[in-house]
């Protein structure tokens, strides 16, 4: 899978399904070999990550409405080529152009 310089967002209302999607994306981008390995590097809260010095971001519970500055920082990281994979319930319309959305149906064919 080729990485675009966008925020990769696993979109699902179900938290367990969202976590599985984020883990699947982490595996496809080479950060883990199995879902259990991916779950080990998964961060539950985006504010637990030092965004200034991180090499990748993998978080399964992000709210775009929670912090505009944090969303801007995530996009800056993605634009620089750093892998940003997050899970969210939805993507607001104003952020869709900076995101690549992945839904459960995208992975059902794999």
């Amino acid at each position: 899978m080729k990485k675009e310089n966008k925020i990769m967002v696993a979109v699902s209302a179900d938290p367990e399904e969202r976590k599985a999607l984020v883990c699947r994306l982490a595996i496809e981008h080479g950060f883990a070999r199995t879902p259990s390995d991916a779950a080990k590097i998964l961060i539950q809260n985006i504010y637990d990550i030092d965004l200034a010095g991180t090499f990748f971001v993998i978080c399964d519970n992000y709210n775009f409405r929670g912090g505009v500055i944090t969303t801007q920082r995530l996009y800056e990281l993605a634009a620089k080529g750093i892998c940003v994979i997050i899970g969210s319930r939805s993507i607001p319309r104003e952020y869709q152009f900076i995101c690549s959305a992945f839904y459960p149906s995208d992975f059902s064919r794999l």
Side-chain angles (χ1 to χ4, degrees):
M1 176 177 277
K2 182 182 179 299
K3 186 212 177 291
E4 296 179 21
N5 290 355
K6 292 185 175 186
I7 300 170
M8 291 176 275
V9 184
V11 181
S12 177
D14 179 32
E16 290 301 316
E17 189 173 49
R18 192 168 52 236
K19 181 178 179 179
L21 291 173
V22 169
C23 289
R24 186 70 180 255
L25 285 169
I27 291 168
E28 288 188 9
H29 284 85
F31 289 98
R33 292 185 183 252
T34 64
S36 62
D37 287 344
K40 292 175 187 174
I41 61 173
L42 186 70
I43 301 296
Q44 299 296 322
N45 187 356
I46 195 76
Y47 301 106
D48 292 339
I49 301 173
D50 176 24
L51 294 178
T54 190
F55 293 105
F56 62 89
V57 175
I58 300 176
C59 177
D60 72 335
N61 189 18
Y62 184 69
N63 181 4
F64 282 93
R65 304 278 188 212
V68 176
I69 300 297
T70 304
T71 303
Q72 177 183 346
R73 182 68 182 136
L74 289 174
Y75 179 63
E76 289 171 0
L77 291 171
K80 289 180 184 177
I82 293 174
C83 186
V84 178
I85 302 172
I86 59 173
S88 183
R89 293 177 61 90
S90 65
I91 304 173
R93 182 178 301 269
E94 63 267 22
Y95 296 117
Q96 289 178 354
F97 74 99
I98 63 172
C99 298
S100 294
F102 297 91
Y103 298 92
S105 61
D106 294 338
F107 293 100
S108 65
R109 65 186 180 328
L110 299 177

